[in-house]
Each structure stands twice: as structure tokens, then as C-alpha cells.
């Protein structure tokens, strides 16, 4: 999109960060994109499309690239996935569309669907044409969306296409949730996330920033709007639970990623360890390397095969120089005001399969920075409040009708990590879209029965 941002806040990644966080998958040149698009077999019942949670018509958008119809290609993508630009960069395509590509059965490389999708979306942005959709005719109803991440963005855009008012309330100064603050910069730069959201604002989505919606306000939103969509994601990060885990030099991975993406952290000291075995731990470890650490080790309490991180992320980390230490767990933190070292113990499974400390296996690791990525708790604060007491939850997750996103409270819908416990951006987009269709149908039904 050309012209000034529609947001009252603007943010760009500092140049020293951009320089260190070059694209993990650089954009395709036009000729390469054309050749790659022509490699596609345009399969009937394409497995790549079925593997996409938003069911983008992959062969159709690729065929349009091959025929030079880039606006048509972008429209095909956006029709299914309004966050097609960020998903092109952030999706684990290796286990989704590209993982399902029939080329695997022909001993050939899968079609580079993610990079082709990015090619079409970049072309749309570069053309300055804006979104190929307009808001629908005013339907006379409006929805409050709590949380400004991918689920709410997707839901809001789909509501606006149906003429339903959509107002997003977000606790942060910038919209986008994990897309803006949590996806590694070498996958999705902060500025790219905001550029995409700028386009959504053209549909008439209203953004309220720096508003932390508490239980009281949520009840007010429930009374003031025709429906509420809850897209609050997960709750607080789990802490190490050791004395001293708030010392200077210890930080949780999500705060670390948000801080470097926003330019609050420009470099890190030499010796860094990351506790955890998921994709966030890997992202943080690679970021530490790129921010200048000389020695970065991931500490995980189980073995490589039990890590929840994707294997391609693990291999990427190895290529970046990250080291891994298996079957270890921090047991003590040493330092006065600042972290100096961490004491670890080796773990082994007992006969019942429980991890137990190995006797006399303790050892010390001198560190300048310790990052922990051991998961997030459920977002229970809101759900325990009076208004949402009537919303059924299970293990801290909001229970919804999977076809409509509707909760047990009829005017409250939900989607994203707060219902699925933490999945991919594209899953949140699919949830938001499904909920928008569910909300529209419910509002229509309400009017019919009124
Ligand atoms: Fe093209 Fe592969 Fe999808 Fe078939 S499965 S349509 S070859 S991208």
C-alpha cells in the first residue's frame, strides 16, 4: 500500500536489526517465480490446498502467476486467507502445503508454494492497489474483538466484507499480536506485519490500542456490541520457578523476541543459553546468534527426538551454529543482581517413564544471558470472571462449536490460541474466518427470530 500508515503508531525495525535478520527464504525473482509456477501440475483435488488450514486454492493462484495475472493470483490467496502475506512467510510450509505436494512422490522437490505466495502478495503490495475487496453494505450490527492477533484480524476482515462493524481492542501499542511481536524477524519482519494490517484497516476495521480488556470491560463490550469475538491467545509465560529467575540477565523468549523486533535489544552478550525444546526456543536461540552471541546452547530436558520444534527448525538452528544439550534441567541460578551461572542436572527416565535427576550429575554453566521458552499458561484471568463464567472452558481453553466458533454464551465467539492451546498463525486465521461466518449467521438468525 502506498501513502501514510493508517495507524496512530508507526514502527519500523532498526536498520542494525534488519541487517542481521536477512530473509530466511529470500523473495523469488520474476523469472524464477514464472519457472517455478510452470513446474506445478495443477492437480485436481490438490493435496496442497487440503493441507492448508485456510484452504487456499493453491493450483489456481499458482496458475495465475504462470499466466502473468498477479493481481488475480493475490485475489485468490486473499479470498481464502486475508493474512496471505504473513502466512506466506510465517507458515511451516514444510509440514503443510509443501509437505503434501505430489512432487514428493515423483522424487522431485516440492513446489515452493510459500515463496510463490509471497511473490504474488509482494506484487500486490508493490502495485499500491490495496485490497481487492470492499466492505459490504452496512448490515447494521457491530462486533467487538478482544486481542489484535491473527485470529481477530481475520475475523474482523471477514465481518467487514459482510458489512458488519468490527472494532479490535488490543493491549499493545501496535496491532498484530504474535505476527507483529512474536514471529522471528528473519521470517516475518515487524514492518511487513504492519503493512498487511494497514490494508485491513482500509476495510473499515477500527483499532483501539493500549486497551487491556479486563472482565468488567468484557462484560461492557458484551452489552454494547451485538457480539464479542475473543482472540486473546495464550496467557502468561511459564517461569523457571527457581530462586533468582527474575535476575537481570534472565528473560522469557517471547519478551526477548518482541524486544529485539521493536529495537529495544540490539545486541546480546557472549554466552547465551535457551531453556526449552519448542519452536520459540529455536527462534530465540537463532536470534541470539544473529544479535552477536558467541556461544548459544539450547538446554532441553529430554532428547532430540522428543523436541516439539519442527525438525527443519532444529536443522536450521544447527546451521546457524546453535548447540544443543539434551536431558538437562536448570536447578539453581547463581548471581547477586545479575545472572552469573546456572547449575544444571542431568535427567534420565526411571522404570515408570518419569524423568528423574541423575545422582551427582550436577554441573555449572557460566552465562551472560538465560532465555526461557517453556510454554505459556492458559488465559484464565478473563474466563474466571463473572461474565465469562458462563463460557465453558476446559484446561483453560475456551470450548467452541468448531463449525462456528460460538461459545456456550451465544453472543460470544472465540478463535486462535485461546481455543486451540497454541498452534500456527494460519490456524488462527482459519478460526477467525470461521467465527466471522458463524457470527454473521447467528446475527442474521437473531434478526429473523426477533
Ligand atoms: Fe502443484 Fe504440488 Fe499442489 Fe499439485 S500438490 S497443485 S504439484 S503445488
Amino acid at each position: 500500500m502506498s501513502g501514510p500508515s493508517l495507524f496512530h503508531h508507526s514502527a519500523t525495525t532498526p536498520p542494525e536489526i534488519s541487517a542481521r535478520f536477512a530473509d530466511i527464504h529470500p523473495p523469488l525473482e520474476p523469472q524464477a517465480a514464472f519457472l517455478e509456477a510452470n513446474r506445478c501440475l495443477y492437480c485436481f483435488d490438490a493435496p496442497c490446498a487440503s493441507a492448508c488450514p485456510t484452504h487456499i486454492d493453491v493450483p489456481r493462484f499458482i496458475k495465475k502467476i504462470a499466466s502473468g495475472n498477479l493481481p488475480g493470483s493475490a485475489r485468490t490467496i486473499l479470498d481464502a486467507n486475508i493474512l496471505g502475506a504473513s502466512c506466506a512467510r510465517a507458515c511451516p510450509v514444510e509440514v503443510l502445503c509443501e509437505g503434501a505436494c505430489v512432487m514428493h512422490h515423483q522424487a522431485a522437490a516440492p513446489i515452493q508454494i510459500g515463496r510463490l505466495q509471497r511473490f504474488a502478495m509482494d506484487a500486490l503490495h508493490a502495485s499500491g492497489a490495496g485490497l481487492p475487496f470492499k466492505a459490504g453494505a452496512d448490515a447494521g450490527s457491530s462486533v467487538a474483538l478482544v486481542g489484535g492477533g491473527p485470529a481477530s484480524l481475520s475475523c474482523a476482515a471477514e465481518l467487514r466484507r459482510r458489512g458488519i462493524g468490527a472494532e479490535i481492542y488490543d493491549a499493545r501499542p501496535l496491532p498484530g499480536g504474535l505476527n507483529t511481536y512474536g514471529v522471528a524477524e528473519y521470517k516475518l519482519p515487524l514492518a511487513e506485519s504492519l503493512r498487511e494490517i494497514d490494508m485491513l484497516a482500509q476495510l473499515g476495521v477500527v483499532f483501539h490500542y493500549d486497551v487491556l480488556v479486563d472482565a468488567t470491560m468484557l462484560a461492557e463490550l458484551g452489552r454494547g456490541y451485538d457480539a464479542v469475538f475473543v482472540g486473546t491467545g495464550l496467557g502468561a509465560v511459564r517461569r523457571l520457578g527457581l530462586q533468582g529467575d527474575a535476575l537481570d540477565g534472565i528473560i522469557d523468549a517471547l519478551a526477548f523476541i518482541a524486544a529485539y523486533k521493536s529495537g529495544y535489544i540490539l545486541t546480546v552478550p557472549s554466552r547465551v543459553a535457551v531453556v526449552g525444546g519448542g519452536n520459540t526456543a529455536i527462534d530465540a536461540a537463532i536470534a541470539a546468534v544473529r544479535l552477536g552471541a558467541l556461544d548459544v546452547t539450547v538446554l532441553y530436558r529430554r532428547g532430540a527426538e522428543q523436541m516439539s520444534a519442527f525438525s527443519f527448525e532444529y536443522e536450521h538452528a544447527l546451521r546457524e551454529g546453535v548447540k544443543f544439550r539434551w536431558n538437562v534441567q536448570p536447578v539453581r541460578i547463581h548471581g547477586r543482581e545479575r545472572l552469573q551461572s546456572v547449575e544444571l542436572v542431568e535427567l534420565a527416565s526411571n522404570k515408570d517413564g518419569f524423568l528423574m535427576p541423575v545422582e551427582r550429575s550436577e554441573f555449572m554453566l557460566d552465562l551472560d544471558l538465560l532465555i526461557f521458552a517453556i510454554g505459556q499458561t492458559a488465559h484464565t484471568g478473563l474466563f474466571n470472571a463473572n461474565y465469562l463464567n458462563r463460557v465453558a472452558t476446559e484446561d483453560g481453553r475456551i470450548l467452541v462449536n468448531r463449525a462456528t466458533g460460538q461459545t456456550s454464551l451465544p453472543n460470544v465467539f472465540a478463535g486462535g490460541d485461546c481455543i486451540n492451546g497454541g498452534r500456527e498463525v494460519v490456524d488462527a486465521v482459519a478460526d477467525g474466518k470461521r467465527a466471522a461466518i458463524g457470527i454473521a449467521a447467528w446475527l442474521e438468525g437473531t434478526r429473523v427470530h426477533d
Side-chain angles (χ1 to χ4, degrees), residues 176-410:
L178 284 181
N179 262 17
T180 299
Y181 290 104
V183 179
E185 186 75 7
Y186 50 82
K187 295 178 189 164
L188 178 61
L190 180 144
E192 289 298 321
S193 170
L194 296 182
R195 183 171 77 162
E196 182 174 50
I197 299 165
D198 251 347
M199 291 184 96
L200 300 194
Q202 294 167 14
L203 284 173
V205 178
V206 176
F207 292 87
H208 302 276
Y209 305 101
D210 297 313
V211 183
L212 182 62
V213 174
D214 60 11
T216 308
M217 185 171 175
L218 190 65
E220 282 167 17
L221 295 177
R223 287 190 290 272
Y225 291 81
D226 297 287
V228 174
F229 174 81
V230 180
T232 44
L234 293 173
V237 292
R238 288 205 177 86
R239 302 198 63 83
L240 290 168
L242 299 174
Q243 196 173 3
D245 74 357
L247 282 181
D248 203 12
I250 302 179
I251 187 170
D252 80 75
L254 287 176
F256 172 68
I257 292 169
Y260 87 73
K261 288 191 71 149
S262 308
Y264 293 112
I265 291 178
L266 298 177
T267 58
V268 296
S270 297
R271 299 164 304 179
V272 178
V274 182
V275 180
N279 293 312
T280 304
I282 300 278
D283 283 349
I286 293 173
V289 171
R290 294 194 177 201
L291 290 166
L294 300 176
D295 188 337
V296 180
T297 307
V298 170
L299 307 168
Y300 182 49
R301 64 201 193 104
R302 296 180 187 274
E305 53 295 339
Q306 281 104 22
M307 270 203 315
S308 61
F310 294 124
S311 56
F312 63 86
E313 295 281 18
Y314 167 55
E315 280 151 24
H316 176 205
L318 290 176
R319 287 197 300 278
E320 296 263 351
V322 174
K323 293 185 282 189
F324 287 80
R325 183 124 199 193
W326 310 114
N327 305 306
V328 293
Q329 177 171 303
V331 287
R332 250 168 238 102
I333 292 167
H334 297 277
R336 282 178 167 272
E337 284 170 8
R338 207 188 146 72
L339 167 73
Q340 286 183 334
S341 61
V342 171
E343 191 174 334
L344 296 124
V345 66
E346 290 179 10
L347 301 174
S349 295
N350 68 10
K351 63 181 172 43
D352 298 318
F354 293 110
L355 284 180
M356 302 298 286
V358 175
E359 265 185 56
R360 290 190 289 283
S361 65
E362 292 87 354
F363 65 99
M364 300 289 280
L365 195 60
D366 292 336
L367 287 177
D368 303 306
L369 179 65
L370 178 66
I371 302 170
F372 55 96
I374 51 176
Q376 287 170 268
T377 60
H379 213 310
T380 51
L382 278 180
F383 314 151
N384 293 336
N386 285 340
Y387 178 63
L388 280 185
N389 264 350
R390 288 158 58 203
V391 168
T393 62
E394 190 176 81
D395 298 332
R397 281 179 286 177
I398 300 178
L399 291 175
V400 297
N401 175 327
R402 287 281 162 180
T404 63
Q406 192 170 34
T407 69
S408 54
L409 202 58

Side-chain angles (χ1 to χ4, degrees), residues 40-43 46-48 58-59 62 100-103 111 113:
C40 178
L41 303 175
Y42 312 123
C43 306
C48 52
V58 176
I62 292 181
C101 179
V102 296
M103 290 295 188
I111 304 298
I113 302 169

